[in-house]
Amino acid sequence: MRRTRILTAVLTLAAGLLAGSQLALAAPSAAEVTLAADTYTWKNARIDGGGFVPGIVFNRTEKNLAYARTDIGGAYRWQESTKTWTPLTDSVGWDRWGHTGVVSLASDSVDPNKVYAAVGTYTNSWDPGNGAVLRSGDRGASWQRADLPFKLGGNMPGRGMGERLAVDPNRNSVLYLGAPSGKGLWRSTDSGATWSQVANFPNVGNYAQDPTDTSGYSSDNQGIVWVTFDESTGTSGIATRTIYVGVADKDNAVYRSTDAGATWSRVSGQPTGYLAHKGVLDAKNGYLYLPYSDKGGPYDGGKGQLWRYATATGTWTNISPVAEADTYYGFSGLTIDRQKPGTVMATAYSSWWPDTQLFRSTDSGGTWTKAWDYTSYPTRANRYTMDVSSSPWLTFGANPSPPEQSPKLGWMTEALEIDPFNSNRMMYGTGATIYGTENLTNWDSGSQFSIKPMVQGLEETAVNDLAAPPSGGAVLLSALGDIGGFRHTDLAKVPSMMFTSPNFTTTTSLDFAETNPGIVARVGDLDSGPHVAFSTDNGANWFAGTDPSGVSGGGTIAAASDGSRFVWSPAGTGVQYATGFGTSWAASSGIPAGTGVQYATGFGTSWAASSGIPAGATVESDRVDPKTFYGFKSGKFYASSDGGATFTASAATGLPAGDSVRFKALPGTKGDIWLAGGATDGAYGLWHSTDGGATFTKLSNVEQADTVGFGKAATGASYQTLYTSAKIAGVRGIFRSTDRGASWTRINDDAHQWGWTGSAITGDPRVYGRVYVSTNGRGVVYGESSDTSGGGGGGTDPTPTPTPTPTPTTPTGACTVTYKVTSEWSGGFQADVKLSNTGTTAWAGWSLGWSFPNGQTVSQLWNAEYTQSGAAVTAKNVNWNANVTAGSSVSFGFTGNWSGTNGKPTAFKLGDQSCTVA
């Protein structure tokens, strides 16, 4: 279920956020390009979905153009040719991580190339930055940002209402945005570049989910929640006269302007006592449809109604499909069939049990039918069939008793849209996926319509931990928020099921035995039941352990290198150690009740409290010695040499004082430890110890670091490859080192940043260059290097020094260019260019030139500086990718404009010499 969504995001972020940090552009910026002489391809380890999709938006004038928004994982565009979703906001960087929360989307029906996104994750202190409106002229391939003087809440209560952002369908330079927190209604008259408050709008809203909440999360005023234009009251180029606005106020929910926003008034005769979640206008028949709930959602809602407002007469009609007394849910999702406007559908979004409900009317709400109904309780008759074979985990491994079914039709179903060009296609969002159908009208003929996931490409999990075993069938093990985690044996395929037996709502930590990776342990959160589980077959099957007294959450767990024992630092009680699989726990002496780490020996027939280490410490194991474990808490490092029974504090000083720290021990070498973390107001960076944590050396060339992980060594290197999410040489990114941190290569680019990546990182021990990166809402991202061998390295651990910027010279030797159009749409395209040094000497700076054959123009280019004169384009290196060694490559990408034909350039020159075109 999705009820833990809030906690997942907050807990994932709380450890690593940088309050008051300097913010960077969300869009790619040539001035911040940092890709070095290696090029990475980035993909997701496929899970497909995994999070709440509160909004789906179809363009009204172009067929097959649709967008989806997520609460913490960014925005997506539908790709009809592949039936997949393309992520659009991966360029959001670390310092503006809140802009991965999308509170609203708007697609311009006048110019379908234009799309807008209102972004910001929290309106309280959890998000230090203000919201913004992103605008794009190339369907989200690139963005410009207009900062707002207030916060927006993509992951706040009420996020399923909307859309809060709307483009005037007659004069598309005019947009409106409904703000939360009492900030009112805002308007732009220059296509989203600047915004000002509509000073005369009379109501800023007053509804809060829980006014007593001291965190500011549930107590925030949900504000202005939707904006709807009546397109029939305007003509092309002239602002639409009639605009409806929904307000989070149970007594005054709907307002209207009939003079293009000059004046506003409450719509008379409207229902009271409820919140209008949406306002959907059928301009052809003159009806405004409003789904009402007694709560703001997306989790809560106990009563609801559906109403229809006749725009010409002002008549309100209650068209609820069931009597109010029979509702135990609110209404939210609502859509009309633009091909057959009398056809209306709505959702019972907060019907958690036994299932959500979909309602359909073909007579403007006069009569309704349901997606399912009882024949004789608890037996159900469904108008639909469900096929989740593409995402089999959507059954959640459940085998419920009737009337509940598996898979469920959904929950939190606030997004519901019929394709405006295709009456048979409908999509709706749930707390875990996007479902859809392409034979919807079967509903009306009495036959069943088919529902299946329509979510491929949309990845929306919050990642807490990652592990890549050196052997066994599992390529990757993941600890995820809300849906527990997965065992990937093939990164390109959706796993058949998440971790079960038990099925944690959120997995907080996992670990495998380094020399016996068939043994795996995981810990997590569960409303009722054990918080620890074990596997003896590399994570394929699991069984539950037994909690010691007082455990309330997962915390962190470490497995001995040979799997003979485990150390667990759970929430709610102290650190424990267990024999084997922790089926029985016992408190030992020497530590107060309710504090300390727990440990187990053997196969967990008894657990005992560890001494010498505080409760809440992060724990890890040495990857060589099965008796050695480590811990960290509040600036202190701890070590145990007796299997976790006793810990001793290290004398090491200068480590981060807080608890935003992650550390790991290197496989194959006892006592080799890397520690990352800190905060901007104190120690922050990357530290290395070769003596089991007795002493640490801070790397001087790493300004900030939040994760550290290891992968297969480069060819010829005697030390494993290091990976980190860090700030180096003033640039935030994902970095790799093949020489123990002496030098670093940024392996992501400004188009691939994914917001906050501070939970976990690990290289692949079997594949050089492959790295797995955690995100907070974009799932598990992994990168594959174009360099399959890597650089040198090895030798003694040198004193780290920054890599100097090469002095540009004229490149000599052979070169090869690969030019690839990666995406193309009406009037626009995106392309990647790969420049390879196929000669025998290194380049210290480069300049690549070409001419477009059909008058194309570059609109934005990243990972290089560029100039264009007529058809001629020149792309030059920036500091980070100036040095290109023989046999390596550098890449950059751009978006551009075209008309008529989009032919590829046929000739490229590196300085004065021609390159081979591949």
PDB file of all heavy atoms in Angstrom, residues 620-641:
ATOM      1  N   GLU A 620      28.025  -1.757  10.078  1.00  0.00           N
ATOM      2  CA  GLU A 620      28.520  -2.441   8.895  1.00  0.00           C
ATOM      3  C   GLU A 620      29.469  -3.541   9.351  1.00  0.00           C
ATOM      4  O   GLU A 620      29.951  -3.536  10.490  1.00  0.00           O
ATOM      5  CB  GLU A 620      29.268  -1.479   7.956  1.00  0.00           C
ATOM      6  CG  GLU A 620      28.430  -0.359   7.381  1.00  0.00           C
ATOM      7  CD  GLU A 620      27.560  -0.799   6.214  1.00  0.00           C
ATOM      8  OE1 GLU A 620      27.655  -2.005   5.819  1.00  0.00           O
ATOM      9  OE2 GLU A 620      26.796   0.025   5.689  1.00  0.00           O
ATOM     10  N   SER A 621      29.744  -4.470   8.443  1.00  0.00           N
ATOM     11  CA  SER A 621      30.654  -5.565   8.772  1.00  0.00           C
ATOM     12  C   SER A 621      31.958  -5.425   8.013  1.00  0.00           C
ATOM     13  O   SER A 621      32.006  -4.853   6.914  1.00  0.00           O
ATOM     14  CB  SER A 621      30.017  -6.910   8.417  1.00  0.00           C
ATOM     15  OG  SER A 621      29.830  -7.024   7.021  1.00  0.00           O
ATOM     16  N   ASP A 622      33.038  -5.963   8.611  1.00  0.00           N
ATOM     17  CA  ASP A 622      34.266  -6.129   7.854  1.00  0.00           C
ATOM     18  C   ASP A 622      34.016  -7.209   6.817  1.00  0.00           C
ATOM     19  O   ASP A 622      33.329  -8.197   7.080  1.00  0.00           O
ATOM     20  CB  ASP A 622      35.413  -6.537   8.779  1.00  0.00           C
ATOM     21  CG  ASP A 622      36.749  -6.458   8.089  1.00  0.00           C
ATOM     22  OD1 ASP A 622      37.359  -5.382   8.096  1.00  0.00           O
ATOM     23  OD2 ASP A 622      37.178  -7.490   7.515  1.00  0.00           O
ATOM     24  N   ARG A 623      34.562  -7.047   5.613  1.00  0.00           N
ATOM     25  CA  ARG A 623      34.249  -7.968   4.526  1.00  0.00           C
ATOM     26  C   ARG A 623      35.227  -9.143   4.445  1.00  0.00           C
ATOM     27  O   ARG A 623      35.126  -9.970   3.541  1.00  0.00           O
ATOM     28  CB  ARG A 623      34.217  -7.230   3.197  1.00  0.00           C
ATOM     29  CG  ARG A 623      33.367  -5.978   3.189  1.00  0.00           C
ATOM     30  CD  ARG A 623      31.980  -6.180   3.782  1.00  0.00           C
ATOM     31  NE  ARG A 623      31.042  -6.810   2.865  1.00  0.00           N
ATOM     32  CZ  ARG A 623      29.769  -7.047   3.144  1.00  0.00           C
ATOM     33  NH1 ARG A 623      29.281  -6.749   4.354  1.00  0.00           N
ATOM     34  NH2 ARG A 623      28.993  -7.631   2.250  1.00  0.00           N
ATOM     35  N   VAL A 624      36.132  -9.225   5.429  1.00  0.00           N
ATOM     36  CA  VAL A 624      37.099 -10.327   5.464  1.00  0.00           C
ATOM     37  C   VAL A 624      36.990 -11.100   6.768  1.00  0.00           C
ATOM     38  O   VAL A 624      36.832 -12.328   6.777  1.00  0.00           O
ATOM     39  CB  VAL A 624      38.543  -9.802   5.277  1.00  0.00           C
ATOM     40  CG1 VAL A 624      39.554 -10.931   5.431  1.00  0.00           C
ATOM     41  CG2 VAL A 624      38.692  -9.129   3.925  1.00  0.00           C
ATOM     42  N   ASP A 625      37.084 -10.418   7.898  1.00  0.00           N
ATOM     43  CA  ASP A 625      37.072 -11.051   9.221  1.00  0.00           C
ATOM     44  C   ASP A 625      35.641 -11.156   9.726  1.00  0.00           C
ATOM     45  O   ASP A 625      34.991 -10.135   9.986  1.00  0.00           O
ATOM     46  CB  ASP A 625      37.904 -10.219  10.188  1.00  0.00           C
ATOM     47  CG  ASP A 625      38.031 -10.850  11.558  1.00  0.00           C
ATOM     48  OD1 ASP A 625      37.350 -11.867  11.821  1.00  0.00           O
ATOM     49  OD2 ASP A 625      38.793 -10.323  12.392  1.00  0.00           O
ATOM     50  N   PRO A 626      35.102 -12.375   9.917  1.00  0.00           N
ATOM     51  CA  PRO A 626      33.699 -12.519  10.338  1.00  0.00           C
ATOM     52  C   PRO A 626      33.431 -12.064  11.759  1.00  0.00           C
ATOM     53  O   PRO A 626      32.265 -11.920  12.142  1.00  0.00           O
ATOM     54  CB  PRO A 626      33.441 -14.023  10.180  1.00  0.00           C
ATOM     55  CG  PRO A 626      34.770 -14.664  10.257  1.00  0.00           C
ATOM     56  CD  PRO A 626      35.738 -13.688   9.655  1.00  0.00           C
ATOM     57  N   LYS A 627      34.470 -11.837  12.547  1.00  0.00           N
ATOM     58  CA  LYS A 627      34.271 -11.387  13.927  1.00  0.00           C
ATOM     59  C   LYS A 627      34.313  -9.866  14.052  1.00  0.00           C
ATOM     60  O   LYS A 627      34.054  -9.318  15.117  1.00  0.00           O
ATOM     61  CB  LYS A 627      35.357 -11.989  14.837  1.00  0.00           C
ATOM     62  CG  LYS A 627      35.235 -13.494  15.051  1.00  0.00           C
ATOM     63  CD  LYS A 627      34.026 -13.828  15.901  1.00  0.00           C
ATOM     64  CE  LYS A 627      34.018 -15.302  16.287  1.00  0.00           C
ATOM     65  NZ  LYS A 627      35.042 -15.646  17.293  1.00  0.00           N
ATOM     66  N   THR A 628      34.654  -9.166  12.966  1.00  0.00           N
ATOM     67  CA  THR A 628      34.846  -7.716  13.032  1.00  0.00           C
ATOM     68  C   THR A 628      33.651  -6.980  12.453  1.00  0.00           C
ATOM     69  O   THR A 628      33.224  -7.254  11.325  1.00  0.00           O
ATOM     70  CB  THR A 628      36.125  -7.303  12.293  1.00  0.00           C
ATOM     71  OG1 THR A 628      37.252  -7.945  12.912  1.00  0.00           O
ATOM     72  CG2 THR A 628      36.323  -5.796  12.338  1.00  0.00           C
ATOM     73  N   PHE A 629      33.123  -6.046  13.255  1.00  0.00           N
ATOM     74  CA  PHE A 629      32.018  -5.176  12.839  1.00  0.00           C
ATOM     75  C   PHE A 629      32.362  -3.739  13.197  1.00  0.00           C
ATOM     76  O   PHE A 629      33.216  -3.487  14.069  1.00  0.00           O
ATOM     77  CB  PHE A 629      30.711  -5.588  13.524  1.00  0.00           C
ATOM     78  CG  PHE A 629      30.141  -6.892  13.037  1.00  0.00           C
ATOM     79  CD1 PHE A 629      30.599  -8.096  13.556  1.00  0.00           C
ATOM     80  CD2 PHE A 629      29.160  -6.915  12.067  1.00  0.00           C
ATOM     81  CE1 PHE A 629      30.095  -9.305  13.103  1.00  0.00           C
ATOM     82  CE2 PHE A 629      28.633  -8.114  11.609  1.00  0.00           C
ATOM     83  CZ  PHE A 629      29.106  -9.312  12.126  1.00  0.00           C
ATOM     84  N   TYR A 630      31.676  -2.814  12.524  1.00  0.00           N
ATOM     85  CA  TYR A 630      31.932  -1.397  12.741  1.00  0.00           C
ATOM     86  C   TYR A 630      30.623  -0.648  12.958  1.00  0.00           C
ATOM     87  O   TYR A 630      29.547  -1.111  12.551  1.00  0.00           O
ATOM     88  CB  TYR A 630      32.658  -0.790  11.531  1.00  0.00           C
ATOM     89  CG  TYR A 630      33.911  -1.531  11.127  1.00  0.00           C
ATOM     90  CD1 TYR A 630      33.934  -2.320   9.979  1.00  0.00           C
ATOM     91  CD2 TYR A 630      35.069  -1.443  11.888  1.00  0.00           C
ATOM     92  CE1 TYR A 630      35.071  -2.998   9.582  1.00  0.00           C
ATOM     93  CE2 TYR A 630      36.230  -2.117  11.511  1.00  0.00           C
ATOM     94  CZ  TYR A 630      36.221  -2.905  10.361  1.00  0.00           C
ATOM     95  OH  TYR A 630      37.355  -3.580   9.993  1.00  0.00           O
ATOM     96  N   GLY A 631      30.727   0.527  13.593  1.00  0.00           N
ATOM     97  CA  GLY A 631      29.559   1.361  13.795  1.00  0.00           C
ATOM     98  C   GLY A 631      29.931   2.830  13.806  1.00  0.00           C
ATOM     99  O   GLY A 631      31.108   3.191  13.993  1.00  0.00           O
ATOM    100  N   PHE A 632      28.942   3.685  13.588  1.00  0.00           N
ATOM    101  CA  PHE A 632      29.157   5.135  13.631  1.00  0.00           C
ATOM    102  C   PHE A 632      27.935   5.800  14.227  1.00  0.00           C
ATOM    103  O   PHE A 632      26.794   5.456  13.896  1.00  0.00           O
ATOM    104  CB  PHE A 632      29.410   5.698  12.232  1.00  0.00           C
ATOM    105  CG  PHE A 632      29.709   7.172  12.240  1.00  0.00           C
ATOM    106  CD1 PHE A 632      31.014   7.629  12.341  1.00  0.00           C
ATOM    107  CD2 PHE A 632      28.689   8.115  12.167  1.00  0.00           C
ATOM    108  CE1 PHE A 632      31.299   8.992  12.368  1.00  0.00           C
ATOM    109  CE2 PHE A 632      28.953   9.472  12.186  1.00  0.00           C
ATOM    110  CZ  PHE A 632      30.263   9.912  12.294  1.00  0.00           C
ATOM    111  N   LYS A 633      28.190   6.755  15.098  1.00  0.00           N
ATOM    112  CA  LYS A 633      27.104   7.539  15.678  1.00  0.00           C
ATOM    113  C   LYS A 633      27.657   8.852  16.203  1.00  0.00           C
ATOM    114  O   LYS A 633      28.599   8.876  16.996  1.00  0.00           O
ATOM    115  CB  LYS A 633      26.440   6.751  16.828  1.00  0.00           C
ATOM    116  CG  LYS A 633      25.370   7.496  17.601  1.00  0.00           C
ATOM    117  CD  LYS A 633      24.100   7.693  16.793  1.00  0.00           C
ATOM    118  CE  LYS A 633      23.003   8.330  17.644  1.00  0.00           C
ATOM    119  NZ  LYS A 633      21.787   8.622  16.860  1.00  0.00           N
ATOM    120  N   SER A 634      27.066   9.958  15.733  1.00  0.00           N
ATOM    121  CA  SER A 634      27.342  11.298  16.269  1.00  0.00           C
ATOM    122  C   SER A 634      28.830  11.608  16.357  1.00  0.00           C
ATOM    123  O   SER A 634      29.340  12.029  17.395  1.00  0.00           O
ATOM    124  CB  SER A 634      26.689  11.442  17.645  1.00  0.00           C
ATOM    125  OG  SER A 634      25.298  11.230  17.570  1.00  0.00           O
ATOM    126  N   GLY A 635      29.530  11.398  15.253  1.00  0.00           N
ATOM    127  CA  GLY A 635      30.927  11.776  15.179  1.00  0.00           C
ATOM    128  C   GLY A 635      31.905  10.751  15.682  1.00  0.00           C
ATOM    129  O   GLY A 635      33.120  10.965  15.592  1.00  0.00           O
ATOM    130  N   LYS A 636      31.428   9.649  16.218  1.00  0.00           N
ATOM    131  CA  LYS A 636      32.297   8.620  16.763  1.00  0.00           C
ATOM    132  C   LYS A 636      32.226   7.342  15.940  1.00  0.00           C
ATOM    133  O   LYS A 636      31.146   6.895  15.556  1.00  0.00           O
ATOM    134  CB  LYS A 636      31.912   8.297  18.214  1.00  0.00           C
ATOM    135  CG  LYS A 636      32.376   9.329  19.241  1.00  0.00           C
ATOM    136  CD  LYS A 636      33.885   9.226  19.452  1.00  0.00           C
ATOM    137  CE  LYS A 636      34.356  10.152  20.570  1.00  0.00           C
ATOM    138  NZ  LYS A 636      35.825  10.055  20.755  1.00  0.00           N
ATOM    139  N   PHE A 637      33.408   6.761  15.708  1.00  0.00           N
ATOM    140  CA  PHE A 637      33.494   5.485  15.012  1.00  0.00           C
ATOM    141  C   PHE A 637      33.749   4.392  16.035  1.00  0.00           C
ATOM    142  O   PHE A 637      34.494   4.577  16.999  1.00  0.00           O
ATOM    143  CB  PHE A 637      34.623   5.519  13.977  1.00  0.00           C
ATOM    144  CG  PHE A 637      34.577   4.383  12.995  1.00  0.00           C
ATOM    145  CD1 PHE A 637      33.758   4.457  11.875  1.00  0.00           C
ATOM    146  CD2 PHE A 637      35.334   3.239  13.189  1.00  0.00           C
ATOM    147  CE1 PHE A 637      33.692   3.416  10.966  1.00  0.00           C
ATOM    148  CE2 PHE A 637      35.280   2.190  12.295  1.00  0.00           C
ATOM    149  CZ  PHE A 637      34.464   2.271  11.174  1.00  0.00           C
ATOM    150  N   TYR A 638      33.129   3.232  15.825  1.00  0.00           N
ATOM    151  CA  TYR A 638      33.219   2.123  16.782  1.00  0.00           C
ATOM    152  C   TYR A 638      33.642   0.857  16.043  1.00  0.00           C
ATOM    153  O   TYR A 638      33.327   0.680  14.866  1.00  0.00           O
ATOM    154  CB  TYR A 638      31.873   1.877  17.468  1.00  0.00           C
ATOM    155  CG  TYR A 638      31.352   3.071  18.250  1.00  0.00           C
ATOM    156  CD1 TYR A 638      30.641   4.081  17.597  1.00  0.00           C
ATOM    157  CD2 TYR A 638      31.578   3.197  19.611  1.00  0.00           C
ATOM    158  CE1 TYR A 638      30.167   5.178  18.304  1.00  0.00           C
ATOM    159  CE2 TYR A 638      31.115   4.285  20.330  1.00  0.00           C
ATOM    160  CZ  TYR A 638      30.407   5.279  19.663  1.00  0.00           C
ATOM    161  OH  TYR A 638      29.945   6.367  20.374  1.00  0.00           O
ATOM    162  N   ALA A 639      34.338  -0.027  16.752  1.00  0.00           N
ATOM    163  CA  ALA A 639      34.759  -1.300  16.168  1.00  0.00           C
ATOM    164  C   ALA A 639      34.578  -2.414  17.183  1.00  0.00           C
ATOM    165  O   ALA A 639      34.735  -2.215  18.397  1.00  0.00           O
ATOM    166  CB  ALA A 639      36.214  -1.228  15.719  1.00  0.00           C
ATOM    167  N   SER A 640      34.245  -3.595  16.670  1.00  0.00           N
ATOM    168  CA  SER A 640      34.104  -4.793  17.493  1.00  0.00           C
ATOM    169  C   SER A 640      34.932  -5.903  16.874  1.00  0.00           C
ATOM    170  O   SER A 640      34.890  -6.108  15.661  1.00  0.00           O
ATOM    171  CB  SER A 640      32.640  -5.230  17.570  1.00  0.00           C
ATOM    172  OG  SER A 640      32.515  -6.509  18.170  1.00  0.00           O
ATOM    173  N   SER A 641      35.672  -6.622  17.695  1.00  0.00           N
ATOM    174  CA  SER A 641      36.467  -7.757  17.208  1.00  0.00           C
ATOM    175  C   SER A 641      35.948  -9.081  17.743  1.00  0.00           C
ATOM    176  O   SER A 641      36.568 -10.120  17.528  1.00  0.00           O
ATOM    177  CB  SER A 641      37.937  -7.572  17.608  1.00  0.00           C
ATOM    178  OG  SER A 641      38.067  -7.480  19.031  1.00  0.00           O
TER     179      SER A 641
END
